[in-house]
Amino acid sequence: MQPLEGYRVLDFGSAWAGPMAAQLLADMGAEVIKVESRARMDGLRLGRPIVGDDVAGGDRGLWPDLQPAFHGFNRNKLSITVNLKHPEGVALIKRLVPMADVVTNNFAPGVMERLGLGYEELRAIRRDIIVVSMPAAGESGPLKDIIAYATIIHALSGLMSMVGYEGEPLVGQLQAAWSDALAAMHAAVATATALYHRRRTGEGQYIEVSQWEATTSMLGEAIMDYAMNGRVAGPMGNYHPMMAPHNNYPCRGDDRWVSIAVASEEEWQAFCRALGDPEWARDTKFADAFQRQRNRAELDARIAEWTCQHDAHEVTEFLQGAGVAAMTVMNIEDQFLDPHFRERGFHVEVEHPKVGLEWLYGQPWLLSDTPGSVRRHAPLLGEHNEYVFRQLLEIPAEEYERLVKEQALY
Amino acid sequence: MSRMALEGVKVIEWGEYVSAPFCARTLADMGADVLKVEHPRGDRSRRHGPFPGDVPHREQSGLYLALNANKRGITLNPSKATGRAILLRLLESADVLVEDQGASFVDGLGLDYVSLKERFPRLIVASLTPYGRTGPYRDYKGHDLSANAAGGISFGNGTPQREPLVVPAAQVSFMAGLGAALATVMALVAREATGRGQLVDVAEAQVVGVLLTGYHLPTYIYKGIPGYRAGNRFRLGLYPNCVLPCKDGYVCINCPQMEQYQRFLALLGNPEWTNNPRYRDRRAMTEQYPDEAEGLIIPWFMEHTKEEIFALCREHRIPCVPVQTIQEVVHDEHLASRSYFQELGHPDAGRLTYPGPPYRFSATPWGLRLPAPTLGQHNREVLCDLLGYIPDDLPRLRAAGVI
């Protein structure tokens, strides 16, 4: 049994935030039907294919089933291709709505309404439907139509203004689509909560997730500092007001690092003992947390002299054995090969009809009684048209053929 | 006021700092009744700040205030037998326990999941730890820094050759708390069908690890690239996708579509260099000579302010925006038109601006209802009114270090 078994979701998402939100529901057992079309492919179906090197063709959509990023965020889903520009396309969707519990999208504001699939219309078909929209900047306000990707949202939200080394020019980038994942998780928790509410009261509802607001909502510390002191937070590197040492230190090898965080006097003593009680550590400059914080540049240099002689994994094991919070700064290869993460199913292998065995990420949280799972590969484009239209909607063969021929199903 | 979505759901939070409190806060914002069980020395976030005028005060730490609004709070030390007994009594009527105490610690107190399950079969236990409750690192120590490291997010953050950076403002711990809230609500939904509670095992490193799954995992598996830092730019992809300085700050530009890039070049007046074949391959410009390529456009940005650049780029539909400072975010007109920020009074800290809702429900409101509890604020209410202690018991419990 899985938490969302028996619930059905229509997913109009594209790119990352929308599809990932629906995928988090799919992992928990919901039947998610991804609505796509050759006329409007999910952007993640475009680009350099996994197999072969036809980048130009990939960019034109010739390899929709061979995109690795797409596979991660669309596993466990079914795919139908409905041409929403065809006069019968929207009508077909409306026939599915009575069987759907949730409809998700990350279109720009107003797109669903213009298609005739706005909340009021869907609600008229199914009174307790839950509709989730995830526009980048929300559905109102002067910037509601802004063209936004993750980095653009990072910039607007305030998060980006704090990324960098202490007291230096901004670095800014995170090399990861932070706001997409964040918005997806926010949308998924809101949806699950709305389903819980519906189960108890019978009431459906509309949920708006502004990806920008979702990102800003977690910056309380900096916002409070501004509210209290008028101070504008800037890059702080790995500085932490309550811990020193607290940094990533170089280790033996190319671009290898270990994180070390010392939270108490007891841990500091343990750390010094582990290093063999070096002379420098007895200096009054490092006598207490306040002094260590004040002299942290020198402290970090001292520690680096020691760490750079050792392997990052060895430092981790050695210091953890002494009761100090050390951890290898892992890259994806470290994570992938790590015995701890392997045991916890961080990555899972899935059979894909066109790629063969491939690795995807596993469940980020483990539920003991009703765990999520990766049950099926990301769907091929239109793979489930027959199941959805012939079996679920019971459309006769002849009419189905006509819809395909006329490119309503395309 | 309409009914809130999690109204009637009782949550006990036994956690501190960021991740467990943010998990419980997320549930509280949607209506759950959250009781924070705090060690008598106080949640460490009370000492974190920021403080008004930088003067430390346990009731005025901004991080604590932001993370613990909408909760009630008591002091309790479950390491003491009486403290443990009180915690167990509170769990009798609870739906969810959110805790971050670590597997070996709760095991040592006899509060391991198997024991809890036996006594409270409907209880959902959300456990937040840096690396999770199983596996070789289950007893490893860790903090936000360590979860950044193991989660793989630090490695890509920063300048090549220099030390990798954490995501600022403890955001990895916030994201872990959010993931835990999501998993907890899933467990609540499941309980409606099964009647059973369960253990929700959240490894903070693993939650943030999802960020590496879109591109980093396949880039490693299919191209053998294990990771990289690229400073102010995205290392893979199409030029320009970077953060650049301008006259009065920074801007962020990202033009994945050719038309966007062409509109950008038109805005620059289609300069001469655009005819050079070296500057026509946008992938090579990002991946092979990004410094040189960025050097071509930085002069134009340096001549203009953030506001001028933003206005021009909006007019020409180019995805390029100011890197907003926190001050600019708080005063942002777009957010103001949506009444995003909220104000809330607190007996010690006064009236302050808080971040607003991450989502808006049409039927079940999100609400900032209560300021964060002062240390032990609800001791009497909970211990006397609910558990039947008499007010004279409280000094004794305090003296014994229980509350």
Side-chain angles (χ1 to χ4, degrees), chain A residues 137 149 165 168 175 200 206 213 221 226 229 231 238 240 248 255 320 335 338 340 344 366 369-370, chain B residues 7 17 48 53-54 131 134 137 141 150-151 162-164 166 198 201 229 233 260 331 334 338 362:
Chain A
Y149 309 104
Y165 296 90
E168 294 186 33
Q175 301 301 329
R200 297 202 298 175
Y206 182 72
E213 288 168 356
E221 181 183 350
Y226 178 72
N229 300 312
R231 186 184 290 131
N238 293 322
H240 190 282
N248 295 323
D255 208 12
Q320 286 286 355
Q335 268 184 351
D338 189 88
H340 178 78
R344 290 179 59 83
L366 308 182
D369 190 45
T370 61
Chain B
E7 211 167 298
Y17 235 138
H48 181 99
D54 295 329
Y131 320 104
T134 60
Y137 305 159
K141 278 194 178 175
R162 294 187 62 186
E163 75 270 22
V166 290
Q198 58 184 313
D201 173 7
R229 288 183 297 294
R233 61 186 71 106
Q260 296 165 341
H331 297 291
H334 175 77
R338 292 170 53 77
S362 65

Side-chain angles (χ1 to χ4, degrees), chain A residues 338-358:
Chain A
D338 189 88
H340 178 78
F341 288 136
R342 195 47 71 86
E343 186 175 321
R344 290 179 59 83
F346 201 150
H347 299 104
V348 292
E349 227 175 357
V350 185
E351 178 80 30
H352 185 279
K354 296 205 173 170
V355 177
L357 278 177
E358 66 173 343

